[in-house]
Amino acid sequence: MQILQNSVFFRIFDPKFRTKMKKIEVKNFRLYTTAVISIEWKNELLNVNLDLAMMLKMMRMEGLTEADIERYSKNGQPIPFKKVSLILFQDDDKPGQYYTDESFCEDDDPTVFYVEIKE
């Protein structure tokens, strides 16, 4: 298995360890769905800004069910997409120079790329 630059590691807690942890229940909260999501493309991980609506649309387009997503998540595996195309915007036709998302300032880490779903 090749380790990719900016790799994302999935955290799967050992059930026997989980019982030793203090549990804090969170209620009455607001969920912000804009998140840093990574896609593996050309042996690199790119952080892209996909909100929840975009991710749900991608899953519908791909024909993924909730059970499919749960299976990938439970096994700590990335979700493969074959039918969905994402559009990155290249800066003046310079290879590798893609537009970053303006909602993240330059001081933020990691770099997050602007992306749209191809209809």
Side-chain angles (χ1 to χ4, degrees), residues 20-107:
K20 297 177 186 175
M21 298 174 73
K22 181 178 179 182
K23 297 177 184 178
I24 300 171
E25 183 175 343
V26 178
K27 282 185 159 184
N28 194 20
F29 61 90
R30 295 189 307 170
L31 175 67
Y32 289 83
T33 62
T34 302
V36 178
I37 306 295
S38 298
I39 59 170
E40 181 182 348
W41 180 65
K42 293 188 175 183
N43 291 326
E44 283 192 64
L45 282 182
L46 300 178
N47 298 312
V48 294
N49 189 356
L50 294 173
D51 65 20
L52 185 57
M54 293 173 77
M55 289 185 279
L56 289 171
K57 181 177 184 176
M58 290 169 54
M59 290 171 200
R60 278 194 306 271
M61 291 171 67
E62 193 68 25
L64 295 167
T65 66
E66 186 177 341
D68 294 330
I69 301 304
E70 286 177 4
R71 186 178 67 250
Y72 287 116
S73 181
K74 182 179 178 180
N75 294 324
Q77 297 174 325
I79 303 166
F81 286 89
K82 303 283 186 198
K83 299 175 185 174
V84 175
S85 294
L86 298 179
I87 305 298
L88 292 171
F89 293 85
Q90 201 166 357
D91 186 9
D92 297 326
D93 296 324
K94 297 176 188 171
Q97 299 294 315
Y98 301 107
Y99 286 115
T100 56
D101 198 290
E102 294 178 3
S103 63
F104 293 85
C105 67
E106 291 179 14
D107 295 336

